Every structure is written in C-alpha cells, then in structure tokens.
C-alpha cells in the first residue's frame, strides 16, 4: 500500500493540473470501490474549482469552491495519472480507456486525471471542508511526521508504558500519521533500535533519535519519487526510485550495509507484516 512518500509524490504531481482548475466533467464508472461512492459524486464535482490539493496521512484532500472536500485514498493498487496537459508538464497524450479506470476527471484546461484501481481497495468521499478533520478516517490520526506537532516530547509520551513492539507502535496511525511498513523498518535501522523491542522499554534518549530519522527517511523517499515495489506510479506514470536505497527492507539474507558489520539482514513476521532488520546493529 502506498505510504506517505508515495501519496505526497502523487499530490505534488497532481497539484499543477488540479489546483486553481475547474473540473469540467467527471466520469464515475462504477458505484463503489472499497466503499460506495458518495451520492451524486459526479454531479457534485462537475463544474467545481479545486482551491487546494493537500495531504493528510495517506489521504489526498481536494478542497473545492463548493465548500466540500474530496477525499481520495489510493488503496493497494490505485493510481492517479495525468495526460493531455496543455502546458507541457505532462507529455503523455490521452490514452485509451482501460478496464479499471473507475473515475476520470476532465479538467477545463484539457488535462485529464484518471484513477485506475484494479484491486478496488481505494476509496473516495465528499465532506464539508469546515469539518473535514472530524471525518471518521481523519479524526483518529496522530500528528504528521513532517509537521511541527511531531517532536521528541510527543513520541516519548506516546511510548511511555507501551507494551507493544516499537515497530507496531510506529505503525499506529494514532501515534504518528502516514508511516507504513517500509519506512518504519528503515528508520529503526538508522537509529539502531530493534523492531522487536517493547516501545515502553526504550530510553527517552533513544526514542528521541527516531524523530529526525523518520523525517530524514521520508524526505529522502519523497525526493526520490517514492518507492515502486509493485503497483505504485507517480502522476506522470513514472516509477519511484527510493527502493534502490533501502538499507534493510526487502534485503533478507543480504549483507548489512553498516561498515564493519558482518551480519546479514533478517526477516521476521510481526502482526502479519514482514519486518527487516540487522540483529547485530539493532538492539
């Protein structure tokens, strides 16, 4: 599933052709994805101007001049790709319609944004912009890891007395929003913290090191256009490249990259997800 860097990469790719632009026509080609689409979604979107395209955790949020906000979640295999941009930022002509093109946004500028989702785990919803933070998917989220509300004191307090493994704690979207399996593994490796260690048993000083490490790995991933493992593509259809910089994720059995370490990367299943780590470097 796309994590924060992938969703932010998509947002940055869509912003030039969506922000300030009018959706001249919207096609909704099926009644649902993971959940039913909101009532009269195509009608409520058609003719509306996108005032701002922002991100909260792994959700895209398009604020409209109607006073509503469009929420988009990419799910497991969702892609939003741009074609026909008249200003030349996206060089692709409009492709032929594909089987899983479930929602198509025809912009007044001539650009077209297509939401394609073969596995249909994505989602869209419409809500009042004024109360968007109270939406059931957004109200439970913790602070953004790249925002000012995510700091050492917050993480230390969140971990205090917590009996779950630190990896599980960091995947808790109520503690920090947007982190997923890949980037938690990478951040823990950078801090030398074992993903198996209980969150509440890690010293405050070591917990504090996670904040800059998380920010750094996310910023580097965004700069690389995210990580393309299976389905993820940027808005222009290109792959992300951060997977080539993984220190531990997906490297089971390969040598640890820490200078002087002779151990290999191990894989362990935690809560149904693969965890990758170096048992020598991470304690």
């Amino acid at each position: 599933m796309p994590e924060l860097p992938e969703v932010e990469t998509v947002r940055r790719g869509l912003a030039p052709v969506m922000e300030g632009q009018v959706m001249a026509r919207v096609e909704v080609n099926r009644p649902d994805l993971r959940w039913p689409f909101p009532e009269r979604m195509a009608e409520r979107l058609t003719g509306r101007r996108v005032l701002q395209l922002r991100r909260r955790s792994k959700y895209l949020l398009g604020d409209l001049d109607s006073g509503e906000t469009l929420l988009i979640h990419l799910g497991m295999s969702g892609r939003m790709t741009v074609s026909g941009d008249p200003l030349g930022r996206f060089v692709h002509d409009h492709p032929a319609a594909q089987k899983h093109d479930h929602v198509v946004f025809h912009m007044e500028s001539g650009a077209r944004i297509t939401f394609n989702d073969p596995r249909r785990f994505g989602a869209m919803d419409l809500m009042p912009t004024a109360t968007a933070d109270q939406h059931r998917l957004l109200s439970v989220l913790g602070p953004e890891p790249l925002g000012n509300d995510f700091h050492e004191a917050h993480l230390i307090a969140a971990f205090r007395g917590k009996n779950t493994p630190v990896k599980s704690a960091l995947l808790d979207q109520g503690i920090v929003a947007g982190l997923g399996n890949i980037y938690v593994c990478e951040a823990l490796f950078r801090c030398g913290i074992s993903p198996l260690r209980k969150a509440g048993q890690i010293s405050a000083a070591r917990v504090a090191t996670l904040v800059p490490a998380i920010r750094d790995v996310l910023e580097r991933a965004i700069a690389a256009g995210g990580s393309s493992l299976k389905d993820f593509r940027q808005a222009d259809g290109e792959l992300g490249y951060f997977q080539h910089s993984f220190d531990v994720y997906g490297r089971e059995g390969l040598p640890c990259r820490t200078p002087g370490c002779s151990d290999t990367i191990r894989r362990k299943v935690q809560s149904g997800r693969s965890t990758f780590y170096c048992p020598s470097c991470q304690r």
Side-chain angles (χ1 to χ4, degrees):
M1 181 178 293
E3 300 181 20
L4 185 155
E6 289 74 48
V7 179
E8 177 63 17
T9 296
V10 171
R11 187 199 70 78
R12 294 183 184 188
L14 294 176
V17 291
M18 292 194 80
E19 287 189 333
Q21 301 299 316
V22 172
M23 294 177 281
R25 182 167 63 92
V26 178
E27 297 176 47
V28 179
N29 298 323
R30 57 175 298 111
D32 58 11
L33 289 173
R34 187 173 183 181
W35 303 294
F37 286 122
E39 292 184 5
R40 305 175 8 260
M41 187 173 87
E43 178 185 336
R44 290 159 69 182
L45 293 177
T46 296
R48 304 315 337 170
R49 187 178 301 275
V50 181
L51 302 178
Q52 180 183 15
L53 187 65
R54 53 196 175 95
R55 179 192 53 76
R56 180 73 171 103
S57 183
K58 303 173 188 178
Y59 302 99
L60 292 170
L61 300 172
D63 297 331
L64 311 177
D65 63 357
S66 61
E68 290 192 300
T69 291
L70 173 65
L71 176 148
I72 302 171
H73 188 255
L74 298 176
M76 298 290 290
S77 60
R79 301 178 187 173
M80 295 191 76
T81 52
V82 177
S83 59
D85 175 22
L87 297 182
R89 291 161 296 195
F90 295 85
V91 298
H92 304 290
D93 293 330
H94 294 317
Q98 302 294 312
K99 177 180 179 181
H100 301 292
D101 291 351
H102 302 311
V103 181
V104 183
F105 304 87
H106 298 267
M107 308 305 290
E108 198 172 66
S109 65
R112 187 167 82 193
I113 298 120
T114 302
F115 184 91
N116 180 286
D117 186 7
R119 300 179 67 180
R120 300 204 303 271
F121 280 107
M124 292 190 189
D125 203 0
L126 279 165
M127 54 196 167
T129 302
T131 57
D133 289 345
Q134 300 172 27
H135 189 278
R136 62 184 180 85
L137 296 175
L138 305 180
S139 63
V140 297
L141 296 173
E144 289 286 322
L146 297 177
N148 292 334
D149 291 335
F150 181 64
H151 44 69
E152 289 85 351
H154 165 77
L155 202 56
I156 291 167
F159 280 11
R160 190 173 294 125
K162 207 161 188 64
N163 201 37
T164 57
V166 61
K167 185 193 172 193
S168 299
L170 289 172
L171 290 174
D172 182 343
Q173 299 298 294
I175 291 178
V176 55
L179 292 185
N181 199 34
I182 294 173
Y183 301 108
V184 168
C185 287
E186 293 294 307
L188 287 170
F189 174 77
R190 293 185 180 206
C191 295
I193 296 174
S194 169
L196 312 180
R197 185 175 287 278
K198 299 292 178 63
Q201 296 177 359
I202 303 172
S203 70
R206 297 190 76 200
V207 172
T209 66
L210 280 165
V211 173
I214 288 169
R215 286 181 173 153
D216 182 66
V217 74
L218 292 177
E219 287 168 352
R220 287 176 180 269
I222 291 168
S227 302
S228 294
L229 301 182
K230 292 183 180 178
D231 299 301
F232 173 69
R233 295 292 187 278
Q234 300 180 53
D236 59 1
E238 297 299 317
L239 297 171
Y241 293 98
F242 191 69
Q243 67 273 13
H244 301 303
S245 300
F246 288 164
D247 286 317
V248 289
Y249 192 86
R251 299 190 65 247
E252 180 184 12
L254 295 177
C256 176
R257 288 178 170 163
T258 301
C261 180
S262 59
D263 213 333
T264 57
I265 302 303
R266 312 291 172 84
R267 183 178 75 89
K268 183 179 179 65
V269 177
Q270 288 181 292
S271 302
R273 298 178 180 180
S274 291
T275 296
F276 298 90
Y277 67 104
C278 174
S280 293
C281 294
Q282 295 174 253
R283 300 288 183 173

